[in-house]
């Protein structure tokens, strides 16, 4: 059980990430080689995809799509996938930058960034979280935000990323605009 989440601000720049299956070639100069034959489109119109492997070999993929966050599962190494299951929607903007954190106890945490449609309006940028105890089949959202920032892009929070540093302790990192 997660007993403590420690939000930590991480200033960052946007980085373009290429996602696919790869293998490490070992030797004097190790390198990563992409297997172009394994590329496939999992979710039409999706952005910001992430993937994690669970202890039992199940793959979980998470992405944002059309103002939702969806999760897919694969039990055969990525050859086949479940249909995208909507885990998060937000009527006041976009749930963005979803990120998975696999815990030592087998649980999975899903973090995302709520980005309000109306800048300077009543809804702030937040980092939120949901938890799965069954390998990503079902999710329970945390009632309150993990972190609340301002309500403009200048005072926003972005791109959560988490690691479990000890059983029951999760370190959460994210980018942050000016406090305010």
């Amino acid at each position: 059980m997660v007993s403590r989440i420690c939000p930590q601000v991480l200033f960052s720049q946007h980085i373009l990430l290429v996602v696919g299956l790869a293998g490490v070639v070992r030797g004097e100069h190790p390198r990563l080689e992409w297997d172009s034959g394994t590329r496939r489109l999992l979710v039409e119109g999706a952005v910001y995809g992430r993937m994690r492997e669970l202890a039992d070999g199940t793959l979980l993929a998470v992405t944002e799509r059309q103002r939702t966050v969806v999760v897919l599962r694969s039990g055969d190494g990525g050859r086949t996938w479940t249909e995208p299951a909507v885990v998060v929607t937000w009527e006041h903007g976009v749930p963005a930058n979803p990120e998975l954190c696999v815990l030592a106890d087998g649980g999975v945490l899903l973090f995302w960034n709520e980005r309000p449609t109306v800048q300077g309006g009543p809804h702030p940028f937040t980092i939120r979280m949901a938890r799965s105890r069954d390998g990503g089949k079902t999710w329970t959202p945390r009632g309150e935000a993990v972190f609340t920032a301002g309500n403009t892009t200048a005072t926003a929070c972005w791109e959560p990323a988490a690691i479990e540093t000890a059983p029951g302790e999760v370190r959460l990192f994210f980018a942050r605009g000016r406090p305010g």
Side-chain angles (χ1 to χ4, degrees), residues 32-93:
L32 200 60
E33 287 190 354
W34 297 102
D35 181 354
S36 61
T38 64
R39 288 185 300 182
R40 75 176 57 158
L41 179 64
L42 297 180
V43 182
E44 185 75 39
V47 296
Y48 208 88
R50 299 289 184 262
M51 189 180 304
R52 297 289 181 270
E53 185 175 7
L54 305 182
D56 68 359
T58 298
L59 296 176
L60 288 184
V62 63
T63 189
E64 65 181 85
R65 178 189 69 177
Q66 302 168 349
R67 302 174 71 94
T68 66
V69 170
V70 299
V71 173
L72 300 88
R73 300 175 79 250
S74 175
D76 60 9
R79 288 183 287 286
T80 62
W81 292 87
T82 61
E83 288 297 313
V86 175
V87 177
V88 178
T89 60
W90 191 46
E91 64 188 55
H92 305 292

Side-chain angles (χ1 to χ4, degrees), residues 140-164:
T140 303
R142 178 181 168 158
E144 62 189 70
V146 175
F147 183 82
T148 302
N151 61 359
T152 67
T153 55
T155 60
C157 54
W158 315 89
E159 301 178 2
I163 59 170
E164 183 177 36

Side-chain angles (χ1 to χ4, degrees), residues 112-133:
W112 69 93
N113 166 228
E114 286 183 342
R115 296 181 182 179
T117 303
V118 178
Q119 299 296 299
H123 303 287
F125 286 74
T126 64
I127 304 293
R128 294 207 173 257
M129 182 190 89
R131 181 176 184 141
S132 175
R133 296 178 187 274

